[in-house]
Amino acid sequence: MEETAIVGSESSELPVDILMDIFALLEIPDLVRAGSVCSSWHSAYTILRSSEMYRRPQTPCLFYTSESDGDNVACLYSLAEKRVYKLALPDTPIRRMHLIGSHNGWLVIADEMSELHIINLITGERVALPPLSSLRDRLYAKAFVFPDPATKSYIVALIHNPENQLSFTRVGDSEWTWLPPSGDYEDCIYIDGVLYALRGTGAIDAFDLTGPNVSRKVVMDDMKHYVYERLYIVQTPSGDVLQVSREQDVAATDSHGKDVVDISEMRKETRKITVYKVDMAAKEFVRINGLNEHVLFLGHNQSLCLAAEEFPHLKANHAYLTDNDGCIASFRSNHRNIGIFSLGNGSTEEIVPPQLWCSWPAPIWITPNLRKMSLD
């Protein structure tokens, strides 16, 4: 696995407009690296970024850390380039953090005092969220960061204990708003001012966050037939809403086929993924066979469905997986269920054999983003 640090060197000069045309074709990790090569390249990179001309769709990267790199270094494995980028985070001991979500370039972390922050690994921007007094390993389940054009702010939704209830806040607010009266939530999406929250029974609740008072509306009832493991809700590029079921088994052998007894050596493996189209008008879940030319990203990140034609390095009709076990903090050294799952034949392949990333914090998908959280 090739590792690439963000370092500079001298290079011959090209006209800035030509450099900008070239840089506009690069994915963000390589773009940032190119911007540090020399002064003229950095100038082109800065202009491209500030002019908002850079709009290239980004392939998600696998975020992880390595004990050998120290506490303040984040690693991004680029699926597009099959290489590792290392990012120094001087003020963030990332290896001691608890990762509870990621979306649109933002990573949601709980620090050693259980305080919540959102951080952009590329820009280095870090924003504190309102305090919650509890233990991070027990309270926080999964978090989501959604841009909110109507208020020119960002909404952070948080699934938390007891009983996987749901709260939200807007960046800049001083407190969280609890969304009663239900619980058992698994995943969320945000569409046109409405937060759709998926429950462990398959039911979907809707919360309109545009008004002064927020109430719960049940838009989909419990599924009649389902196998409970992990459920996800995701919107396709065309606007359809999907519900995804991920069934896992606990393997009784290690990666070498040897029987294991110690629970810390147990590992989960994904054995089946089932996809349903959500018809909210008819209140029906319609099972579909595969995703044809689409790709899923499932885990502790915001669930994603991407068009494979826009991301030629990804495999169509596959799901890219990381862990999001509810007990993940209790077994920090366990093997992580990470891989590329075929929705066609149910086979799984490793992303990079052998898996070199550490088990804590648990790796997570993140989509690099150069945009800063401007709330002016």
PDB file of all heavy atoms in Angstrom, residues 43-69:
ATOM      1  N   SER A  43      -0.894  28.645  -5.783  1.00  0.00           N
ATOM      2  CA  SER A  43      -1.707  29.777  -6.222  1.00  0.00           C
ATOM      3  C   SER A  43      -2.896  29.285  -7.054  1.00  0.00           C
ATOM      4  O   SER A  43      -4.035  29.725  -6.864  1.00  0.00           O
ATOM      5  CB  SER A  43      -0.857  30.755  -7.037  1.00  0.00           C
ATOM      6  OG  SER A  43      -1.640  31.807  -7.543  1.00  0.00           O
ATOM      7  N   ALA A  44      -2.645  28.356  -7.987  1.00  0.00           N
ATOM      8  CA  ALA A  44      -3.720  27.811  -8.815  1.00  0.00           C
ATOM      9  C   ALA A  44      -4.732  27.058  -7.952  1.00  0.00           C
ATOM     10  O   ALA A  44      -5.949  27.170  -8.159  1.00  0.00           O
ATOM     11  CB  ALA A  44      -3.139  26.884  -9.883  1.00  0.00           C
ATOM     12  N   TYR A  45      -4.222  26.305  -6.994  1.00  0.00           N
ATOM     13  CA  TYR A  45      -5.090  25.559  -6.078  1.00  0.00           C
ATOM     14  C   TYR A  45      -5.970  26.510  -5.267  1.00  0.00           C
ATOM     15  O   TYR A  45      -7.182  26.290  -5.120  1.00  0.00           O
ATOM     16  CB  TYR A  45      -4.224  24.712  -5.142  1.00  0.00           C
ATOM     17  CG  TYR A  45      -4.894  24.276  -3.870  1.00  0.00           C
ATOM     18  CD1 TYR A  45      -5.826  23.238  -3.860  1.00  0.00           C
ATOM     19  CD2 TYR A  45      -4.585  24.885  -2.651  1.00  0.00           C
ATOM     20  CE1 TYR A  45      -6.434  22.832  -2.686  1.00  0.00           C
ATOM     21  CE2 TYR A  45      -5.185  24.486  -1.472  1.00  0.00           C
ATOM     22  CZ  TYR A  45      -6.117  23.460  -1.495  1.00  0.00           C
ATOM     23  OH  TYR A  45      -6.717  23.068  -0.320  1.00  0.00           O
ATOM     24  N   THR A  46      -5.395  27.599  -4.772  1.00  0.00           N
ATOM     25  CA  THR A  46      -6.132  28.563  -3.955  1.00  0.00           C
ATOM     26  C   THR A  46      -7.226  29.254  -4.760  1.00  0.00           C
ATOM     27  O   THR A  46      -8.358  29.420  -4.299  1.00  0.00           O
ATOM     28  CB  THR A  46      -5.169  29.601  -3.366  1.00  0.00           C
ATOM     29  OG1 THR A  46      -4.163  28.940  -2.583  1.00  0.00           O
ATOM     30  CG2 THR A  46      -5.921  30.593  -2.490  1.00  0.00           C
ATOM     31  N   ILE A  47      -6.894  29.668  -5.990  1.00  0.00           N
ATOM     32  CA  ILE A  47      -7.880  30.334  -6.846  1.00  0.00           C
ATOM     33  C   ILE A  47      -9.018  29.374  -7.186  1.00  0.00           C
ATOM     34  O   ILE A  47     -10.194  29.738  -7.134  1.00  0.00           O
ATOM     35  CB  ILE A  47      -7.214  30.860  -8.130  1.00  0.00           C
ATOM     36  CG1 ILE A  47      -6.181  31.948  -7.798  1.00  0.00           C
ATOM     37  CG2 ILE A  47      -8.272  31.417  -9.095  1.00  0.00           C
ATOM     38  CD1 ILE A  47      -5.352  32.382  -8.986  1.00  0.00           C
ATOM     39  N   LEU A  48      -8.671  28.148  -7.537  1.00  0.00           N
ATOM     40  CA  LEU A  48      -9.685  27.149  -7.891  1.00  0.00           C
ATOM     41  C   LEU A  48     -10.630  26.905  -6.731  1.00  0.00           C
ATOM     42  O   LEU A  48     -11.846  26.844  -6.899  1.00  0.00           O
ATOM     43  CB  LEU A  48      -8.995  25.846  -8.295  1.00  0.00           C
ATOM     44  CG  LEU A  48      -9.900  24.703  -8.757  1.00  0.00           C
ATOM     45  CD1 LEU A  48     -10.582  25.071 -10.068  1.00  0.00           C
ATOM     46  CD2 LEU A  48      -9.087  23.418  -8.922  1.00  0.00           C
ATOM     47  N   ARG A  49     -10.071  26.816  -5.552  1.00  0.00           N
ATOM     48  CA  ARG A  49     -10.880  26.544  -4.369  1.00  0.00           C
ATOM     49  C   ARG A  49     -11.769  27.738  -4.001  1.00  0.00           C
ATOM     50  O   ARG A  49     -12.962  27.580  -3.730  1.00  0.00           O
ATOM     51  CB  ARG A  49      -9.954  26.193  -3.206  1.00  0.00           C
ATOM     52  CG  ARG A  49     -10.661  26.027  -1.888  1.00  0.00           C
ATOM     53  CD  ARG A  49      -9.674  25.588  -0.828  1.00  0.00           C
ATOM     54  NE  ARG A  49     -10.254  25.712   0.498  1.00  0.00           N
ATOM     55  CZ  ARG A  49      -9.627  25.373   1.609  1.00  0.00           C
ATOM     56  NH1 ARG A  49      -8.405  24.889   1.548  1.00  0.00           N
ATOM     57  NH2 ARG A  49     -10.218  25.523   2.771  1.00  0.00           N
ATOM     58  N   SER A  50     -11.210  28.942  -4.011  1.00  0.00           N
ATOM     59  CA  SER A  50     -11.961  30.124  -3.589  1.00  0.00           C
ATOM     60  C   SER A  50     -13.019  30.538  -4.607  1.00  0.00           C
ATOM     61  O   SER A  50     -14.010  31.168  -4.255  1.00  0.00           O
ATOM     62  CB  SER A  50     -11.008  31.296  -3.318  1.00  0.00           C
ATOM     63  OG  SER A  50     -10.301  31.647  -4.496  1.00  0.00           O
ATOM     64  N   SER A  51     -12.826  30.193  -5.873  1.00  0.00           N
ATOM     65  CA  SER A  51     -13.773  30.584  -6.916  1.00  0.00           C
ATOM     66  C   SER A  51     -14.964  29.644  -7.007  1.00  0.00           C
ATOM     67  O   SER A  51     -15.898  29.893  -7.769  1.00  0.00           O
ATOM     68  CB  SER A  51     -13.062  30.617  -8.276  1.00  0.00           C
ATOM     69  OG  SER A  51     -12.649  29.317  -8.646  1.00  0.00           O
ATOM     70  N   GLU A  52     -14.930  28.567  -6.263  1.00  0.00           N
ATOM     71  CA  GLU A  52     -15.975  27.542  -6.270  1.00  0.00           C
ATOM     72  C   GLU A  52     -16.145  26.914  -7.655  1.00  0.00           C
ATOM     73  O   GLU A  52     -17.217  26.409  -8.001  1.00  0.00           O
ATOM     74  CB  GLU A  52     -17.308  28.103  -5.765  1.00  0.00           C
ATOM     75  CG  GLU A  52     -17.261  28.567  -4.318  1.00  0.00           C
ATOM     76  CD  GLU A  52     -18.640  28.908  -3.776  1.00  0.00           C
ATOM     77  OE1 GLU A  52     -19.611  28.815  -4.554  1.00  0.00           O
ATOM     78  OE2 GLU A  52     -18.738  29.235  -2.588  1.00  0.00           O
ATOM     79  N   MET A  53     -15.078  26.960  -8.467  1.00  0.00           N
ATOM     80  CA  MET A  53     -15.099  26.302  -9.773  1.00  0.00           C
ATOM     81  C   MET A  53     -14.853  24.805  -9.645  1.00  0.00           C
ATOM     82  O   MET A  53     -15.150  24.041 -10.565  1.00  0.00           O
ATOM     83  CB  MET A  53     -14.037  26.923 -10.691  1.00  0.00           C
ATOM     84  CG  MET A  53     -14.298  28.378 -11.057  1.00  0.00           C
ATOM     85  SD  MET A  53     -12.892  29.111 -11.928  1.00  0.00           S
ATOM     86  CE  MET A  53     -12.711  28.001 -13.315  1.00  0.00           C
ATOM     87  N   TYR A  54     -14.339  24.401  -8.499  1.00  0.00           N
ATOM     88  CA  TYR A  54     -14.023  22.988  -8.300  1.00  0.00           C
ATOM     89  C   TYR A  54     -15.264  22.255  -7.786  1.00  0.00           C
ATOM     90  O   TYR A  54     -15.685  22.442  -6.646  1.00  0.00           O
ATOM     91  CB  TYR A  54     -12.866  22.843  -7.306  1.00  0.00           C
ATOM     92  CG  TYR A  54     -12.480  21.400  -7.052  1.00  0.00           C
ATOM     93  CD1 TYR A  54     -11.718  20.707  -7.983  1.00  0.00           C
ATOM     94  CD2 TYR A  54     -12.882  20.739  -5.900  1.00  0.00           C
ATOM     95  CE1 TYR A  54     -11.362  19.383  -7.764  1.00  0.00           C
ATOM     96  CE2 TYR A  54     -12.524  19.420  -5.675  1.00  0.00           C
ATOM     97  CZ  TYR A  54     -11.768  18.749  -6.617  1.00  0.00           C
ATOM     98  OH  TYR A  54     -11.424  17.432  -6.398  1.00  0.00           O
ATOM     99  N   ARG A  55     -15.855  21.453  -8.636  1.00  0.00           N
ATOM    100  CA  ARG A  55     -17.100  20.762  -8.275  1.00  0.00           C
ATOM    101  C   ARG A  55     -17.040  19.275  -8.623  1.00  0.00           C
ATOM    102  O   ARG A  55     -18.063  18.640  -8.835  1.00  0.00           O
ATOM    103  CB  ARG A  55     -18.283  21.415  -8.982  1.00  0.00           C
ATOM    104  CG  ARG A  55     -18.489  22.870  -8.574  1.00  0.00           C
ATOM    105  CD  ARG A  55     -19.638  23.497  -9.329  1.00  0.00           C
ATOM    106  NE  ARG A  55     -19.815  24.891  -8.930  1.00  0.00           N
ATOM    107  CZ  ARG A  55     -20.707  25.710  -9.477  1.00  0.00           C
ATOM    108  NH1 ARG A  55     -21.497  25.256 -10.444  1.00  0.00           N
ATOM    109  NH2 ARG A  55     -20.816  26.959  -9.065  1.00  0.00           N
ATOM    110  N   ARG A  56     -15.859  18.720  -8.675  1.00  0.00           N
ATOM    111  CA  ARG A  56     -15.727  17.317  -9.063  1.00  0.00           C
ATOM    112  C   ARG A  56     -16.338  16.402  -7.995  1.00  0.00           C
ATOM    113  O   ARG A  56     -16.053  16.562  -6.811  1.00  0.00           O
ATOM    114  CB  ARG A  56     -14.243  16.969  -9.207  1.00  0.00           C
ATOM    115  CG  ARG A  56     -13.997  15.588  -9.801  1.00  0.00           C
ATOM    116  CD  ARG A  56     -12.545  15.201  -9.663  1.00  0.00           C
ATOM    117  NE  ARG A  56     -12.199  14.058 -10.474  1.00  0.00           N
ATOM    118  CZ  ARG A  56     -12.540  12.812 -10.212  1.00  0.00           C
ATOM    119  NH1 ARG A  56     -13.282  12.550  -9.146  1.00  0.00           N
ATOM    120  NH2 ARG A  56     -12.166  11.819 -11.002  1.00  0.00           N
ATOM    121  N   PRO A  57     -17.187  15.448  -8.399  1.00  0.00           N
ATOM    122  CA  PRO A  57     -17.712  14.485  -7.418  1.00  0.00           C
ATOM    123  C   PRO A  57     -16.572  13.712  -6.769  1.00  0.00           C
ATOM    124  O   PRO A  57     -15.613  13.317  -7.445  1.00  0.00           O
ATOM    125  CB  PRO A  57     -18.597  13.564  -8.266  1.00  0.00           C
ATOM    126  CG  PRO A  57     -18.927  14.349  -9.488  1.00  0.00           C
ATOM    127  CD  PRO A  57     -17.731  15.218  -9.744  1.00  0.00           C
ATOM    128  N   GLN A  58     -16.689  13.496  -5.470  1.00  0.00           N
ATOM    129  CA  GLN A  58     -15.606  12.873  -4.715  1.00  0.00           C
ATOM    130  C   GLN A  58     -15.915  11.424  -4.359  1.00  0.00           C
ATOM    131  O   GLN A  58     -17.012  11.098  -3.896  1.00  0.00           O
ATOM    132  CB  GLN A  58     -15.340  13.656  -3.433  1.00  0.00           C
ATOM    133  CG  GLN A  58     -14.878  15.076  -3.661  1.00  0.00           C
ATOM    134  CD  GLN A  58     -13.566  15.133  -4.411  1.00  0.00           C
ATOM    135  OE1 GLN A  58     -12.581  14.532  -4.010  1.00  0.00           O
ATOM    136  NE2 GLN A  58     -13.552  15.866  -5.521  1.00  0.00           N
ATOM    137  N   THR A  59     -14.945  10.561  -4.587  1.00  0.00           N
ATOM    138  CA  THR A  59     -15.062   9.169  -4.177  1.00  0.00           C
ATOM    139  C   THR A  59     -14.819   9.078  -2.677  1.00  0.00           C
ATOM    140  O   THR A  59     -13.832   9.622  -2.174  1.00  0.00           O
ATOM    141  CB  THR A  59     -14.032   8.301  -4.912  1.00  0.00           C
ATOM    142  OG1 THR A  59     -14.172   8.469  -6.325  1.00  0.00           O
ATOM    143  CG2 THR A  59     -14.212   6.832  -4.554  1.00  0.00           C
ATOM    144  N   PRO A  60     -15.697   8.419  -1.922  1.00  0.00           N
ATOM    145  CA  PRO A  60     -15.449   8.269  -0.482  1.00  0.00           C
ATOM    146  C   PRO A  60     -14.100   7.614  -0.203  1.00  0.00           C
ATOM    147  O   PRO A  60     -13.613   6.781  -0.978  1.00  0.00           O
ATOM    148  CB  PRO A  60     -16.602   7.368  -0.025  1.00  0.00           C
ATOM    149  CG  PRO A  60     -17.692   7.646  -1.005  1.00  0.00           C
ATOM    150  CD  PRO A  60     -16.998   7.845  -2.323  1.00  0.00           C
ATOM    151  N   CYS A  61     -13.495   8.018   0.893  1.00  0.00           N
ATOM    152  CA  CYS A  61     -12.231   7.453   1.356  1.00  0.00           C
ATOM    153  C   CYS A  61     -12.455   6.717   2.676  1.00  0.00           C
ATOM    154  O   CYS A  61     -13.381   7.027   3.423  1.00  0.00           O
ATOM    155  CB  CYS A  61     -11.192   8.553   1.578  1.00  0.00           C
ATOM    156  SG  CYS A  61     -10.662   9.410   0.077  1.00  0.00           S
ATOM    157  N   LEU A  62     -11.589   5.773   2.956  1.00  0.00           N
ATOM    158  CA  LEU A  62     -11.654   5.065   4.230  1.00  0.00           C
ATOM    159  C   LEU A  62     -10.766   5.796   5.230  1.00  0.00           C
ATOM    160  O   LEU A  62      -9.555   5.908   5.034  1.00  0.00           O
ATOM    161  CB  LEU A  62     -11.203   3.619   4.081  1.00  0.00           C
ATOM    162  CG  LEU A  62     -11.343   2.765   5.339  1.00  0.00           C
ATOM    163  CD1 LEU A  62     -12.810   2.559   5.688  1.00  0.00           C
ATOM    164  CD2 LEU A  62     -10.646   1.423   5.187  1.00  0.00           C
ATOM    165  N   PHE A  63     -11.387   6.313   6.282  1.00  0.00           N
ATOM    166  CA  PHE A  63     -10.635   6.968   7.351  1.00  0.00           C
ATOM    167  C   PHE A  63     -10.223   5.924   8.378  1.00  0.00           C
ATOM    168  O   PHE A  63     -11.028   5.090   8.792  1.00  0.00           O
ATOM    169  CB  PHE A  63     -11.493   8.033   8.038  1.00  0.00           C
ATOM    170  CG  PHE A  63     -10.890   8.523   9.328  1.00  0.00           C
ATOM    171  CD1 PHE A  63     -10.019   9.596   9.337  1.00  0.00           C
ATOM    172  CD2 PHE A  63     -11.174   7.891  10.540  1.00  0.00           C
ATOM    173  CE1 PHE A  63      -9.442  10.030  10.516  1.00  0.00           C
ATOM    174  CE2 PHE A  63     -10.611   8.320  11.718  1.00  0.00           C
ATOM    175  CZ  PHE A  63      -9.742   9.389  11.702  1.00  0.00           C
ATOM    176  N   TYR A  64      -8.963   5.983   8.795  1.00  0.00           N
ATOM    177  CA  TYR A  64      -8.482   5.118   9.870  1.00  0.00           C
ATOM    178  C   TYR A  64      -7.259   5.772  10.497  1.00  0.00           C
ATOM    179  O   TYR A  64      -6.806   6.840  10.071  1.00  0.00           O
ATOM    180  CB  TYR A  64      -8.150   3.711   9.353  1.00  0.00           C
ATOM    181  CG  TYR A  64      -6.947   3.641   8.432  1.00  0.00           C
ATOM    182  CD1 TYR A  64      -5.696   3.243   8.899  1.00  0.00           C
ATOM    183  CD2 TYR A  64      -7.066   3.981   7.080  1.00  0.00           C
ATOM    184  CE1 TYR A  64      -4.606   3.179   8.061  1.00  0.00           C
ATOM    185  CE2 TYR A  64      -5.973   3.929   6.242  1.00  0.00           C
ATOM    186  CZ  TYR A  64      -4.740   3.519   6.734  1.00  0.00           C
ATOM    187  OH  TYR A  64      -3.659   3.472   5.890  1.00  0.00           O
ATOM    188  N   THR A  65      -6.731   5.176  11.535  1.00  0.00           N
ATOM    189  CA  THR A  65      -5.499   5.664  12.149  1.00  0.00           C
ATOM    190  C   THR A  65      -4.529   4.509  12.295  1.00  0.00           C
ATOM    191  O   THR A  65      -4.901   3.338  12.163  1.00  0.00           O
ATOM    192  CB  THR A  65      -5.750   6.297  13.529  1.00  0.00           C
ATOM    193  OG1 THR A  65      -6.189   5.275  14.436  1.00  0.00           O
ATOM    194  CG2 THR A  65      -6.782   7.406  13.451  1.00  0.00           C
ATOM    195  N   SER A  66      -3.288   4.835  12.582  1.00  0.00           N
ATOM    196  CA  SER A  66      -2.257   3.828  12.767  1.00  0.00           C
ATOM    197  C   SER A  66      -1.465   4.158  14.026  1.00  0.00           C
ATOM    198  O   SER A  66      -1.051   5.303  14.225  1.00  0.00           O
ATOM    199  CB  SER A  66      -1.316   3.799  11.552  1.00  0.00           C
ATOM    200  OG  SER A  66      -0.217   2.948  11.789  1.00  0.00           O
ATOM    201  N   GLU A  67      -1.275   3.169  14.862  1.00  0.00           N
ATOM    202  CA  GLU A  67      -0.545   3.389  16.111  1.00  0.00           C
ATOM    203  C   GLU A  67       0.864   3.897  15.858  1.00  0.00           C
ATOM    204  O   GLU A  67       1.393   4.721  16.608  1.00  0.00           O
ATOM    205  CB  GLU A  67      -0.497   2.084  16.914  1.00  0.00           C
ATOM    206  CG  GLU A  67       0.134   2.221  18.289  1.00  0.00           C
ATOM    207  CD  GLU A  67       0.072   0.942  19.090  1.00  0.00           C
ATOM    208  OE1 GLU A  67      -0.465  -0.062  18.576  1.00  0.00           O
ATOM    209  OE2 GLU A  67       0.557   0.934  20.239  1.00  0.00           O
ATOM    210  N   SER A  68       1.474   3.449  14.773  1.00  0.00           N
ATOM    211  CA  SER A  68       2.850   3.845  14.479  1.00  0.00           C
ATOM    212  C   SER A  68       2.962   5.311  14.077  1.00  0.00           C
ATOM    213  O   SER A  68       4.044   5.896  14.138  1.00  0.00           O
ATOM    214  CB  SER A  68       3.429   2.965  13.363  1.00  0.00           C
ATOM    215  OG  SER A  68       2.676   3.126  12.166  1.00  0.00           O
ATOM    216  N   ASP A  69       1.846   5.935  13.671  1.00  0.00           N
ATOM    217  CA  ASP A  69       1.874   7.334  13.247  1.00  0.00           C
ATOM    218  C   ASP A  69       1.657   8.312  14.390  1.00  0.00           C
ATOM    219  O   ASP A  69       1.787   9.524  14.202  1.00  0.00           O
ATOM    220  CB  ASP A  69       0.802   7.581  12.178  1.00  0.00           C
ATOM    221  CG  ASP A  69       1.111   6.868  10.879  1.00  0.00           C
ATOM    222  OD1 ASP A  69       2.311   6.744  10.558  1.00  0.00           O
ATOM    223  OD2 ASP A  69       0.173   6.426  10.205  1.00  0.00           O
TER     224      ASP A  69
END
